Amino acid sequence: MSRRFLWSLAAALALAGCERPPAVRSLPERLVIALESAPTHLDPRVALDQAADRLFDLSMCGLLIKTPDGELEPDAAASWEILEGGRRYRFHLRTDVRFHDGRILGPEDVIDTLTSLVDGRVVTAKRGAFAELERVESPAPGVVDLVLSRPSGAFAIELTPALGILPRGTTPAQTNDHPVGCGSYRIVERSPERLLLEAFDGGHRPAPKIRRVELKVVPDATVRALELLKGTVHLVINDLPPDLVPRFQADPRFRVAADPGGNYAYLGLNLEDPALSDLRVRRALALAIDRDRLVATLWRGLGVVTETMMPPGSWARHEGLPRVPYDPEAAARLLEAAGYPDPDGPGPRPRLTLTFKTSTSEINVLQAQVIQQMAAPAGFALVVRSHEFATFYSDISRGNFQLFSLVRTAIHDPNIYRLILHSDSIPPRGQNRGRYRNPELDRRIDLGASLPERAARRPLYLEVQEILAHDLPYVSLFTKHNFAVMDARLSGFRNYPAGELLGVRFLSWEKGAEQVSFSQPSTISR
């Protein structure tokens, strides 16, 4: 984000903070959560955007559900087991799961929801995640079996509320017009600017303590911050500029929760580019970036430098990978060895010029500019090109880039390596945008996906991470912290791995919190 933007925002927040808050604040009638955009579709089989996923966290139920630690536990299922060496997932359904229209959820609803993804009745990009699903059947009352074409230890992660169970026979058009879920909240009003939800007391989960939740669409980061200050928004997760987080930490009206998350920031490299196909150049680029300073300054410490995309705390994370230091002199030597000599000694001309593409998001542009400055002493000239997101995303999918920066969100299972780095996943078949190819990596990924038990999978994924740390198809930057800024009167909040709203059902307004008096106005210092 530009300095002009930061100063403008600081001034706006200072003015807002000069308004003396009331001595006693009444508790809100509803919890208002700000989203950057509105959901594109209300059917979980179709929608792909994060805003829709946040809605489904509240309104849908899955066979399984994530915990704050990123593990899976039963939801609509009472229990589950993996049979036949990982080819059959058996779910014993609860008998008290109701849809919002009062109908009891049964095996036929699970069967119809899942088979509609793979038999062509629902046209969706999510179909690829269920490529191994051969059939869904009910071998006994209250039991559903998911039969796979080959064993998979990674399949269960697809069965959370992000792919909610729908009543049998429901079409995407019907769901988009009149959504009927089985989650803790039901949708009662919808407009382009907001979704209003009410607690559903007839379901299998304990009734939420906060009865009404509003998802409010606030596209501008400045406005989201101001609405928090005014009290018209009560919770924002991962959608504020990091530069503002300390300002809210210092204000007694707010609480900030920051925890390690599963969102991985990285530089993508085109390995078909003549320069970047050379490992020495990729290694030099990694050595030229001071990642510790990037996290400490631009991101205000809301992240941790990493050598792998597997998040901290993951059972598959390799903690023993050698750290890539910041060493511009070593980077320059590698460029020299790769055939990129210094053209003018101490002069300003670079050894190697590369184009660095990013989106027009101000924080992303600023990050690219910071990396540009960091890489210059090693001899790199990074030419930053920012594009509207649709154009940017199209370019990287087509391989029309040398470097790009993105954040990979919601990393949970190491089978993600199949999607983004396997030789078979070069676009349009997958998201191997850098066109990286390594048969030894492919073999380990394939074998790791076929094993049902973590203990057997883990050694293979440790080897995968060692290969990637050597080959550097990506330059790892950091794993972002999840940070939530909320009204201090909210109680019971816990961050989830990707900023999910699954924990809203546990929130409450603190008893007596409406009597808290704030006599000092908020200020912002620079």
Side-chain angles (χ1 to χ4, degrees), residues 56-57 60-67 70-82 89-94 97 105 110 114 130 144 146 152-165 182-183 204-205 412 454 496 500 502 505:
F56 302 150
D57 292 340
M60 295 291 168
C61 69
L63 288 169
L64 305 173
I65 194 168
K66 281 184 185 178
T67 69
E71 299 298 324
L72 296 173
E73 63 183 15
D75 189 13
S79 64
W80 60 299
E81 52 194 321
I82 302 175
Y89 283 68
R90 174 163 291 173
F91 295 89
H92 302 268
L93 301 183
R94 296 176 61 123
V97 181
L105 183 149
V110 179
L114 294 176
F130 292 85
V144 174
L146 280 57
S152 173
F155 188 73
I157 192 61
E158 307 296 340
L159 306 174
T160 65
L163 183 69
I165 303 167
C182 47
H204 59 292
R205 300 172 183 164
H412 179 78
R454 286 181 176 179
Y496 277 70
E500 293 98 336
L502 295 167
R505 67 188 192 274

Short mmCIF file of all heavy atoms in Angstrom, two decimals, residues 56-57 60-67 70-82 89-94 97 105 110 114 130 144 146 152-165 182-183 204-205 412 454 496 500 502 505:
data_model
loop_
_atom_site.label_atom_id
_atom_site.label_comp_id
_atom_site.label_asym_id
_atom_site.label_seq_id
_atom_site.Cartn_x
_atom_site.Cartn_y
_atom_site.Cartn_z
N PHE A 56 -20.84 -20.50 4.49
CA PHE A 56 -21.11 -21.93 4.71
C PHE A 56 -20.63 -22.38 6.08
O PHE A 56 -21.19 -23.32 6.66
CB PHE A 56 -20.45 -22.76 3.61
CG PHE A 56 -20.90 -22.41 2.21
CD1 PHE A 56 -20.05 -22.57 1.13
CD2 PHE A 56 -22.16 -21.90 1.98
CE1 PHE A 56 -20.44 -22.24 -0.15
CE2 PHE A 56 -22.58 -21.56 0.70
CZ PHE A 56 -21.71 -21.73 -0.37
N ASP A 57 -19.57 -21.73 6.61
CA ASP A 57 -19.14 -22.04 7.98
C ASP A 57 -20.29 -21.89 8.96
O ASP A 57 -20.38 -22.63 9.96
CB ASP A 57 -18.01 -21.09 8.41
CG ASP A 57 -16.71 -21.31 7.65
OD1 ASP A 57 -16.53 -22.40 7.08
OD2 ASP A 57 -15.89 -20.37 7.63
N MET A 60 -24.04 -24.16 6.90
CA MET A 60 -24.00 -25.54 6.41
C MET A 60 -23.39 -26.47 7.45
O MET A 60 -22.70 -26.05 8.37
CB MET A 60 -23.19 -25.62 5.11
CG MET A 60 -23.80 -24.88 3.94
SD MET A 60 -25.33 -25.68 3.36
CE MET A 60 -25.99 -24.41 2.26
N CYS A 61 -23.68 -27.74 7.28
CA CYS A 61 -22.96 -28.76 8.04
C CYS A 61 -22.37 -29.75 7.05
O CYS A 61 -22.86 -29.90 5.93
CB CYS A 61 -23.85 -29.47 9.06
SG CYS A 61 -25.14 -30.54 8.35
N GLY A 62 -21.30 -30.40 7.45
CA GLY A 62 -20.67 -31.43 6.63
C GLY A 62 -20.68 -32.74 7.37
O GLY A 62 -21.10 -32.82 8.53
N LEU A 63 -20.21 -33.77 6.72
CA LEU A 63 -20.01 -35.02 7.45
C LEU A 63 -19.00 -34.82 8.57
O LEU A 63 -19.14 -35.39 9.66
CB LEU A 63 -19.54 -36.12 6.49
CG LEU A 63 -20.60 -36.64 5.51
CD1 LEU A 63 -19.94 -37.52 4.45
CD2 LEU A 63 -21.68 -37.41 6.24
N LEU A 64 -17.99 -33.98 8.30
CA LEU A 64 -16.95 -33.68 9.27
C LEU A 64 -16.83 -32.18 9.40
O LEU A 64 -17.36 -31.41 8.59
CB LEU A 64 -15.60 -34.27 8.80
CG LEU A 64 -15.59 -35.77 8.51
CD1 LEU A 64 -14.25 -36.18 7.90
CD2 LEU A 64 -15.85 -36.58 9.78
N ILE A 65 -16.12 -31.74 10.44
CA ILE A 65 -15.92 -30.31 10.66
C ILE A 65 -14.52 -30.09 11.23
O ILE A 65 -13.99 -30.95 11.94
CB ILE A 65 -17.00 -29.74 11.60
CG1 ILE A 65 -17.01 -28.22 11.57
CG2 ILE A 65 -16.84 -30.27 13.02
CD1 ILE A 65 -18.23 -27.61 12.24
N LYS A 66 -13.92 -28.95 10.89
CA LYS A 66 -12.59 -28.63 11.41
C LYS A 66 -12.67 -28.16 12.85
O LYS A 66 -13.64 -27.52 13.27
CB LYS A 66 -11.95 -27.51 10.58
CG LYS A 66 -11.35 -27.93 9.26
CD LYS A 66 -10.66 -26.73 8.62
CE LYS A 66 -10.15 -27.04 7.24
NZ LYS A 66 -9.52 -25.85 6.61
N THR A 67 -11.61 -28.44 13.59
CA THR A 67 -11.42 -27.87 14.91
C THR A 67 -10.47 -26.67 14.78
O THR A 67 -9.83 -26.49 13.75
CB THR A 67 -10.80 -28.89 15.87
OG1 THR A 67 -9.44 -29.13 15.47
CG2 THR A 67 -11.57 -30.20 15.86
N GLY A 70 -7.17 -27.41 13.39
CA GLY A 70 -7.05 -27.90 12.02
C GLY A 70 -7.31 -29.38 11.87
O GLY A 70 -7.18 -29.91 10.76
N GLU A 71 -7.70 -30.04 12.93
CA GLU A 71 -8.04 -31.46 12.84
C GLU A 71 -9.51 -31.60 12.42
O GLU A 71 -10.25 -30.62 12.31
CB GLU A 71 -7.79 -32.14 14.19
CG GLU A 71 -6.34 -32.09 14.65
CD GLU A 71 -5.39 -32.79 13.70
OE1 GLU A 71 -5.78 -33.83 13.13
OE2 GLU A 71 -4.25 -32.30 13.52
N LEU A 72 -9.91 -32.84 12.18
CA LEU A 72 -11.28 -33.12 11.77
C LEU A 72 -12.00 -33.91 12.85
O LEU A 72 -11.42 -34.81 13.46
CB LEU A 72 -11.29 -33.90 10.45
CG LEU A 72 -10.72 -33.18 9.23
CD1 LEU A 72 -10.63 -34.13 8.05
CD2 LEU A 72 -11.55 -31.96 8.88
N GLU A 73 -13.27 -33.57 13.06
CA GLU A 73 -14.10 -34.33 13.98
C GLU A 73 -15.48 -34.49 13.38
O GLU A 73 -15.85 -33.78 12.43
CB GLU A 73 -14.18 -33.62 15.34
CG GLU A 73 -14.84 -32.27 15.31
CD GLU A 73 -14.82 -31.60 16.68
OE1 GLU A 73 -14.07 -32.04 17.55
OE2 GLU A 73 -15.58 -30.62 16.87
N PRO A 74 -16.28 -35.44 13.87
CA PRO A 74 -17.60 -35.68 13.28
C PRO A 74 -18.50 -34.46 13.40
O PRO A 74 -18.45 -33.72 14.38
CB PRO A 74 -18.13 -36.86 14.10
CG PRO A 74 -16.93 -37.55 14.62
CD PRO A 74 -15.95 -36.44 14.90
N ASP A 75 -19.38 -34.30 12.40
CA ASP A 75 -20.37 -33.24 12.41
C ASP A 75 -21.74 -33.88 12.18
O ASP A 75 -22.40 -34.30 13.13
CB ASP A 75 -20.05 -32.19 11.36
CG ASP A 75 -20.92 -30.94 11.47
OD1 ASP A 75 -21.61 -30.78 12.50
OD2 ASP A 75 -20.92 -30.12 10.54
N ALA A 76 -22.17 -34.01 10.94
CA ALA A 76 -23.41 -34.75 10.68
C ALA A 76 -23.20 -36.24 10.92
O ALA A 76 -24.16 -36.99 11.12
CB ALA A 76 -23.88 -34.51 9.25
N ALA A 77 -21.97 -36.67 10.86
CA ALA A 77 -21.64 -38.06 11.21
C ALA A 77 -21.45 -38.18 12.72
O ALA A 77 -20.94 -37.27 13.36
CB ALA A 77 -20.38 -38.51 10.49
N ALA A 78 -21.89 -39.30 13.27
CA ALA A 78 -21.62 -39.58 14.68
C ALA A 78 -20.23 -40.17 14.85
O ALA A 78 -19.56 -39.95 15.86
CB ALA A 78 -22.67 -40.55 15.24
N SER A 79 -19.78 -40.92 13.83
CA SER A 79 -18.45 -41.52 13.84
C SER A 79 -18.10 -41.88 12.41
O SER A 79 -18.95 -41.90 11.53
CB SER A 79 -18.41 -42.76 14.74
OG SER A 79 -19.27 -43.78 14.23
N TRP A 80 -16.82 -42.18 12.19
CA TRP A 80 -16.39 -42.56 10.85
C TRP A 80 -15.17 -43.46 10.95
O TRP A 80 -14.45 -43.47 11.94
CB TRP A 80 -16.13 -41.33 9.98
CG TRP A 80 -15.07 -40.38 10.49
CD1 TRP A 80 -15.06 -39.70 11.66
CD2 TRP A 80 -13.86 -40.01 9.82
NE1 TRP A 80 -13.95 -38.92 11.76
CE2 TRP A 80 -13.20 -39.08 10.65
CE3 TRP A 80 -13.30 -40.35 8.59
CZ2 TRP A 80 -11.98 -38.50 10.30
CZ3 TRP A 80 -12.09 -39.76 8.24
CH2 TRP A 80 -11.44 -38.86 9.08
N GLU A 81 -14.94 -44.21 9.90
CA GLU A 81 -13.81 -45.13 9.84
C GLU A 81 -13.37 -45.28 8.40
O GLU A 81 -14.13 -45.08 7.46
CB GLU A 81 -14.21 -46.48 10.44
CG GLU A 81 -15.47 -47.08 9.83
CD GLU A 81 -16.02 -48.23 10.65
OE1 GLU A 81 -15.21 -49.03 11.16
OE2 GLU A 81 -17.26 -48.34 10.78
N ILE A 82 -12.09 -45.64 8.25
CA ILE A 82 -11.50 -45.86 6.93
C ILE A 82 -11.25 -47.36 6.78
O ILE A 82 -10.58 -47.97 7.60
CB ILE A 82 -10.20 -45.07 6.77
CG1 ILE A 82 -10.45 -43.58 6.98
CG2 ILE A 82 -9.60 -45.30 5.39
CD1 ILE A 82 -9.19 -42.73 6.95
N TYR A 89 -14.57 -45.04 2.83
CA TYR A 89 -14.82 -44.20 4.00
C TYR A 89 -16.25 -44.46 4.45
O TYR A 89 -17.19 -44.22 3.70
CB TYR A 89 -14.64 -42.72 3.64
CG TYR A 89 -13.20 -42.27 3.54
CD1 TYR A 89 -12.37 -42.73 2.52
CD2 TYR A 89 -12.67 -41.38 4.47
CE1 TYR A 89 -11.06 -42.31 2.42
CE2 TYR A 89 -11.36 -40.95 4.38
CZ TYR A 89 -10.56 -41.42 3.35
OH TYR A 89 -9.25 -41.01 3.26
N ARG A 90 -16.40 -44.94 5.69
CA ARG A 90 -17.73 -45.27 6.21
C ARG A 90 -18.13 -44.26 7.28
O ARG A 90 -17.39 -44.01 8.24
CB ARG A 90 -17.75 -46.68 6.78
CG ARG A 90 -19.05 -47.06 7.48
CD ARG A 90 -19.17 -48.55 7.64
NE ARG A 90 -19.36 -49.19 6.33
CZ ARG A 90 -19.35 -50.53 6.15
NH1 ARG A 90 -19.17 -51.34 7.18
NH2 ARG A 90 -19.52 -51.03 4.94
N PHE A 91 -19.33 -43.69 7.11
CA PHE A 91 -19.85 -42.69 8.05
C PHE A 91 -21.15 -43.20 8.66
O PHE A 91 -22.07 -43.61 7.93
CB PHE A 91 -20.09 -41.37 7.34
CG PHE A 91 -18.83 -40.72 6.83
CD1 PHE A 91 -18.35 -41.02 5.57
CD2 PHE A 91 -18.11 -39.86 7.63
CE1 PHE A 91 -17.18 -40.44 5.10
CE2 PHE A 91 -16.95 -39.27 7.18
CZ PHE A 91 -16.48 -39.57 5.91
N HIS A 92 -21.21 -43.20 9.98
CA HIS A 92 -22.42 -43.53 10.73
C HIS A 92 -23.08 -42.19 11.08
O HIS A 92 -22.56 -41.42 11.89
CB HIS A 92 -22.08 -44.32 11.99
CG HIS A 92 -21.35 -45.60 11.69
ND1 HIS A 92 -21.99 -46.80 11.50
CD2 HIS A 92 -20.02 -45.85 11.55
CE1 HIS A 92 -21.10 -47.75 11.25
NE2 HIS A 92 -19.89 -47.20 11.28
N LEU A 93 -24.24 -41.93 10.47
CA LEU A 93 -24.86 -40.62 10.60
C LEU A 93 -25.58 -40.47 11.94
O LEU A 93 -26.11 -41.43 12.51
CB LEU A 93 -25.89 -40.41 9.48
CG LEU A 93 -25.35 -40.47 8.04
CD1 LEU A 93 -26.48 -40.17 7.07
CD2 LEU A 93 -24.20 -39.50 7.84
N ARG A 94 -25.58 -39.24 12.43
CA ARG A 94 -26.40 -38.91 13.59
C ARG A 94 -27.87 -38.99 13.20
O ARG A 94 -28.23 -38.82 12.03
CB ARG A 94 -26.07 -37.51 14.08
CG ARG A 94 -24.66 -37.32 14.60
CD ARG A 94 -24.40 -35.87 14.96
NE ARG A 94 -25.29 -35.42 16.01
CZ ARG A 94 -24.90 -34.90 17.18
NH1 ARG A 94 -23.62 -34.77 17.44
NH2 ARG A 94 -25.79 -34.50 18.07
N VAL A 97 -29.87 -34.77 13.07
CA VAL A 97 -29.45 -33.67 12.21
C VAL A 97 -30.65 -33.23 11.37
O VAL A 97 -31.23 -34.03 10.62
CB VAL A 97 -28.28 -34.07 11.30
CG1 VAL A 97 -27.86 -32.90 10.42
CG2 VAL A 97 -27.11 -34.57 12.12
N LEU A 105 -31.95 -35.08 8.19
CA LEU A 105 -30.92 -35.44 7.23
C LEU A 105 -30.70 -36.94 7.25
O LEU A 105 -30.52 -37.54 8.32
CB LEU A 105 -29.62 -34.70 7.55
CG LEU A 105 -28.42 -34.89 6.61
CD1 LEU A 105 -27.57 -33.62 6.60
CD2 LEU A 105 -27.56 -36.08 7.02
N VAL A 110 -26.94 -37.24 1.69
CA VAL A 110 -25.49 -37.32 1.50
C VAL A 110 -25.16 -37.91 0.13
O VAL A 110 -24.31 -37.39 -0.60
CB VAL A 110 -24.84 -38.16 2.62
CG1 VAL A 110 -23.32 -38.25 2.41
CG2 VAL A 110 -25.15 -37.57 4.00
N LEU A 114 -23.22 -35.70 -2.92
CA LEU A 114 -21.90 -36.08 -3.42
C LEU A 114 -21.94 -36.60 -4.85
O LEU A 114 -21.06 -36.27 -5.67
CB LEU A 114 -21.27 -37.11 -2.49
CG LEU A 114 -20.92 -36.60 -1.08
CD1 LEU A 114 -20.38 -37.73 -0.22
CD2 LEU A 114 -19.91 -35.47 -1.15
N PHE A 130 -12.99 -34.54 -6.27
CA PHE A 130 -13.69 -35.80 -6.04
C PHE A 130 -13.45 -36.78 -7.19
O PHE A 130 -14.25 -37.69 -7.42
CB PHE A 130 -15.19 -35.54 -5.86
CG PHE A 130 -15.50 -34.81 -4.59
CD1 PHE A 130 -15.44 -33.43 -4.53
CD2 PHE A 130 -15.83 -35.51 -3.44
CE1 PHE A 130 -15.71 -32.76 -3.36
CE2 PHE A 130 -16.11 -34.84 -2.26
CZ PHE A 130 -16.04 -33.45 -2.22
N VAL A 144 -23.42 -44.41 5.51
CA VAL A 144 -23.05 -43.99 4.16
C VAL A 144 -21.60 -44.38 3.92
O VAL A 144 -20.73 -44.08 4.73
CB VAL A 144 -23.22 -42.47 3.96
CG1 VAL A 144 -22.69 -42.05 2.59
CG2 VAL A 144 -24.68 -42.07 4.11
N LEU A 146 -18.42 -44.05 1.20
CA LEU A 146 -17.82 -43.39 0.06
C LEU A 146 -16.73 -44.31 -0.46
O LEU A 146 -15.72 -44.56 0.22
CB LEU A 146 -17.23 -42.03 0.45
CG LEU A 146 -18.20 -40.84 0.58
CD1 LEU A 146 -19.31 -41.11 1.57
CD2 LEU A 146 -17.45 -39.58 0.98
N SER A 152 -6.88 -43.27 -0.52
CA SER A 152 -6.53 -41.86 -0.35
C SER A 152 -6.59 -41.51 1.12
O SER A 152 -7.60 -41.72 1.78
CB SER A 152 -7.48 -40.95 -1.13
OG SER A 152 -7.23 -39.59 -0.83
N GLY A 153 -5.48 -40.97 1.62
CA GLY A 153 -5.45 -40.50 3.00
C GLY A 153 -5.83 -39.05 3.14
O GLY A 153 -5.82 -38.51 4.23
N ALA A 154 -6.15 -38.41 2.01
CA ALA A 154 -6.40 -36.97 2.02
C ALA A 154 -7.85 -36.63 1.70
O ALA A 154 -8.20 -35.45 1.64
CB ALA A 154 -5.48 -36.29 0.99
N PHE A 155 -8.70 -37.62 1.50
CA PHE A 155 -10.04 -37.37 0.99
C PHE A 155 -10.94 -36.70 2.01
O PHE A 155 -11.80 -35.88 1.66
CB PHE A 155 -10.66 -38.69 0.53
CG PHE A 155 -11.97 -38.53 -0.18
CD1 PHE A 155 -12.02 -38.01 -1.47
CD2 PHE A 155 -13.16 -38.88 0.43
CE1 PHE A 155 -13.22 -37.86 -2.13
CE2 PHE A 155 -14.37 -38.74 -0.22
CZ PHE A 155 -14.40 -38.23 -1.50
N ALA A 156 -10.75 -36.99 3.29
CA ALA A 156 -11.69 -36.55 4.32
C ALA A 156 -11.77 -35.03 4.43
O ALA A 156 -12.82 -34.48 4.79
CB ALA A 156 -11.30 -37.14 5.67
N ILE A 157 -10.70 -34.31 4.10
CA ILE A 157 -10.70 -32.86 4.25
C ILE A 157 -11.74 -32.20 3.34
O ILE A 157 -12.14 -31.06 3.57
CB ILE A 157 -9.29 -32.29 3.97
CG1 ILE A 157 -9.19 -30.82 4.40
CG2 ILE A 157 -8.92 -32.45 2.51
CD1 ILE A 157 -9.42 -30.58 5.84
N GLU A 158 -12.21 -32.92 2.31
CA GLU A 158 -13.20 -32.35 1.39
C GLU A 158 -14.62 -32.40 1.94
O GLU A 158 -15.54 -31.89 1.30
CB GLU A 158 -13.16 -33.10 0.05
CG GLU A 158 -11.79 -33.20 -0.59
CD GLU A 158 -11.22 -31.86 -0.99
OE1 GLU A 158 -12.00 -30.90 -1.12
OE2 GLU A 158 -9.99 -31.76 -1.15
N LEU A 159 -14.83 -32.98 3.11
CA LEU A 159 -16.17 -33.28 3.59
C LEU A 159 -16.63 -32.39 4.73
O LEU A 159 -17.46 -32.78 5.55
CB LEU A 159 -16.23 -34.76 4.01
CG LEU A 159 -15.78 -35.75 2.92
CD1 LEU A 159 -15.74 -37.17 3.48
CD2 LEU A 159 -16.69 -35.67 1.71
N THR A 160 -16.11 -31.17 4.79
CA THR A 160 -16.46 -30.20 5.82
C THR A 160 -17.62 -29.31 5.34
O THR A 160 -18.08 -29.46 4.21
CB THR A 160 -15.23 -29.34 6.16
OG1 THR A 160 -14.89 -28.56 5.00
CG2 THR A 160 -14.05 -30.22 6.55
N PRO A 161 -18.09 -28.36 6.17
CA PRO A 161 -19.19 -27.49 5.72
C PRO A 161 -18.91 -26.69 4.46
O PRO A 161 -19.85 -26.17 3.85
CB PRO A 161 -19.41 -26.57 6.93
CG PRO A 161 -19.03 -27.42 8.10
CD PRO A 161 -17.84 -28.20 7.62
N ALA A 162 -17.64 -26.55 4.06
CA ALA A 162 -17.35 -25.89 2.78
C ALA A 162 -17.99 -26.64 1.62
O ALA A 162 -18.26 -26.06 0.56
CB ALA A 162 -15.84 -25.79 2.57
N LEU A 163 -18.25 -27.93 1.81
CA LEU A 163 -19.09 -28.69 0.90
C LEU A 163 -20.27 -29.21 1.72
O LEU A 163 -20.32 -30.38 2.09
CB LEU A 163 -18.34 -29.84 0.24
CG LEU A 163 -19.21 -30.60 -0.77
CD1 LEU A 163 -19.48 -29.74 -1.99
CD2 LEU A 163 -18.58 -31.90 -1.17
N GLY A 164 -21.21 -28.33 2.01
CA GLY A 164 -22.31 -28.68 2.90
C GLY A 164 -23.26 -29.68 2.28
O GLY A 164 -23.42 -29.77 1.06
N ILE A 165 -23.91 -30.46 3.13
CA ILE A 165 -24.90 -31.43 2.69
C ILE A 165 -26.22 -30.70 2.43
O ILE A 165 -26.68 -29.90 3.25
CB ILE A 165 -25.10 -32.52 3.76
CG1 ILE A 165 -23.77 -33.21 4.07
CG2 ILE A 165 -26.13 -33.55 3.29
CD1 ILE A 165 -23.81 -34.06 5.32
N CYS A 182 -27.91 -27.04 7.11
CA CYS A 182 -28.08 -27.77 8.37
C CYS A 182 -27.08 -27.28 9.40
O CYS A 182 -26.71 -28.01 10.31
CB CYS A 182 -27.95 -29.28 8.15
SG CYS A 182 -26.52 -29.78 7.15
N GLY A 183 -26.63 -26.02 9.24
CA GLY A 183 -25.65 -25.46 10.15
C GLY A 183 -26.28 -24.77 11.34
O GLY A 183 -27.49 -24.83 11.57
N HIS A 204 -28.46 -30.33 15.43
CA HIS A 204 -27.72 -31.29 16.25
C HIS A 204 -26.64 -30.63 17.10
O HIS A 204 -26.13 -31.24 18.03
CB HIS A 204 -27.07 -32.34 15.34
CG HIS A 204 -26.12 -31.76 14.33
ND1 HIS A 204 -26.54 -30.97 13.29
CD2 HIS A 204 -24.77 -31.85 14.20
CE1 HIS A 204 -25.51 -30.60 12.55
NE2 HIS A 204 -24.43 -31.12 13.09
N ARG A 205 -26.29 -29.40 16.77
CA ARG A 205 -25.27 -28.69 17.54
C ARG A 205 -25.94 -27.90 18.66
O ARG A 205 -27.11 -27.54 18.57
CB ARG A 205 -24.50 -27.73 16.63
CG ARG A 205 -23.78 -28.37 15.47
CD ARG A 205 -23.22 -27.29 14.56
NE ARG A 205 -22.57 -27.82 13.36
CZ ARG A 205 -22.30 -27.08 12.30
NH1 ARG A 205 -22.63 -25.79 12.28
NH2 ARG A 205 -21.70 -27.61 11.24
N HIS A 412 -3.95 -27.60 4.60
CA HIS A 412 -4.25 -28.55 5.68
C HIS A 412 -3.54 -29.87 5.46
O HIS A 412 -2.78 -30.32 6.31
CB HIS A 412 -5.76 -28.77 5.79
CG HIS A 412 -6.16 -29.75 6.84
ND1 HIS A 412 -6.19 -29.43 8.18
CD2 HIS A 412 -6.53 -31.05 6.76
CE1 HIS A 412 -6.55 -30.48 8.89
NE2 HIS A 412 -6.78 -31.48 8.05
N ARG A 454 -1.34 -41.53 8.61
CA ARG A 454 -0.37 -40.44 8.66
C ARG A 454 1.05 -40.95 8.92
O ARG A 454 2.02 -40.42 8.35
CB ARG A 454 -0.74 -39.44 9.75
CG ARG A 454 -1.92 -38.55 9.41
CD ARG A 454 -2.19 -37.58 10.55
NE ARG A 454 -3.25 -36.65 10.20
CZ ARG A 454 -3.70 -35.72 11.01
NH1 ARG A 454 -3.18 -35.59 12.24
NH2 ARG A 454 -4.67 -34.89 10.63
N TYR A 496 -9.34 -19.99 13.62
CA TYR A 496 -9.27 -21.25 12.88
C TYR A 496 -8.18 -21.14 11.82
O TYR A 496 -7.75 -20.03 11.47
CB TYR A 496 -10.63 -21.57 12.25
CG TYR A 496 -11.59 -22.24 13.21
CD1 TYR A 496 -12.14 -21.53 14.27
CD2 TYR A 496 -11.94 -23.58 13.07
CE1 TYR A 496 -13.01 -22.13 15.17
CE2 TYR A 496 -12.82 -24.19 13.96
CZ TYR A 496 -13.34 -23.46 15.01
OH TYR A 496 -14.20 -24.07 15.89
N GLU A 500 -11.63 -19.27 9.22
CA GLU A 500 -13.02 -19.72 9.13
C GLU A 500 -13.87 -19.13 10.26
O GLU A 500 -13.35 -18.77 11.31
CB GLU A 500 -13.09 -21.25 9.20
CG GLU A 500 -12.47 -21.97 8.01
CD GLU A 500 -11.06 -22.45 8.26
OE1 GLU A 500 -10.38 -21.86 9.15
OE2 GLU A 500 -10.60 -23.38 7.59
N LEU A 502 -16.21 -20.89 11.76
CA LEU A 502 -16.81 -22.06 12.40
C LEU A 502 -17.01 -21.86 13.90
O LEU A 502 -17.88 -22.49 14.51
CB LEU A 502 -15.94 -23.29 12.15
CG LEU A 502 -15.83 -23.76 10.69
CD1 LEU A 502 -14.70 -24.76 10.52
CD2 LEU A 502 -17.15 -24.35 10.22
N ARG A 505 -20.38 -19.96 16.52
CA ARG A 505 -21.44 -20.57 17.32
C ARG A 505 -21.07 -20.67 18.79
O ARG A 505 -21.94 -20.92 19.63
CB ARG A 505 -21.78 -21.95 16.76
CG ARG A 505 -20.70 -23.01 16.89
CD ARG A 505 -21.11 -24.27 16.12
NE ARG A 505 -20.29 -25.43 16.40
CZ ARG A 505 -19.15 -25.72 15.77
NH1 ARG A 505 -18.68 -24.89 14.83
NH2 ARG A 505 -18.47 -26.82 16.06
#
